[in-house]
Amino acid sequence: MHAKFGHQPVLVVLCPDEATARWAARPITLGIPDHPSLTVRPLVLGPGNTPIVTDAKDVVRDVPMAMFSAITHSKSENVDAILKALATTLNTLDPNQATIYAELVEAGLGDTPAREIWRDLMSALLNFFRSEHAQRAFAEVRAEGQAVKGAKDVLRVLSLRGLEVTPETRERIEACKDLDLLDTWLDRAVTASRTEDLFADG
């Protein structure tokens, strides 16, 4: 990961048991005794250092942390509230993204009663994803995201070409939700001699 992507790799260990968490946090030294080649210090998340996330607002701010909370507190009396808050938030996400999160949580819960609670909650979630109302909502969210990206692409091309973009023009481009029109503007931005040429049709 470091060589190919420039990211700093981190070994993360999730433990629902505090004693196991303390054991897993010990450094792992690799190599011969007199010449160790590598020391690995896992980032261990357990019941003692992972917050109990039961407020949906906190879940929205940090879904991965809420997942870690559910897994590390899977044997806690609070797990029911944690899972319900997490499931509520997954209802608002893109179905593909929510499914990935849901599967990771189920795997992390292991063979615990919490896993059955999670499966029941996910059954309701899947029914929500299949509803016509949800599909329309997700389509609107995706279209909104595509429009934002389309506007950024148009402005980026204009900037790279050194064309002046007034605040009014920027506002008009960013406010556009018509994907076809944004594509037209993007094509014109490649050859336009001035920004106003984008709006040749009025």
Side-chain angles (χ1 to χ4, degrees), residues 70-115:
I71 294 170
T72 56
H73 293 283
S74 59
K75 297 179 181 179
S76 163
E77 61 183 13
N78 298 298
V79 69
D80 196 359
I82 296 171
L83 294 176
K84 287 180 179 177
L86 182 55
T88 298
T89 298
L90 294 189
N91 275 336
T92 67
L93 301 181
D94 175 85
N96 293 328
Q97 184 181 22
T99 300
I100 293 173
Y101 284 140
E103 290 176 350
L104 288 173
V105 171
E106 181 171 343
L109 291 174
D111 188 18
T112 63
R115 190 174 192 176

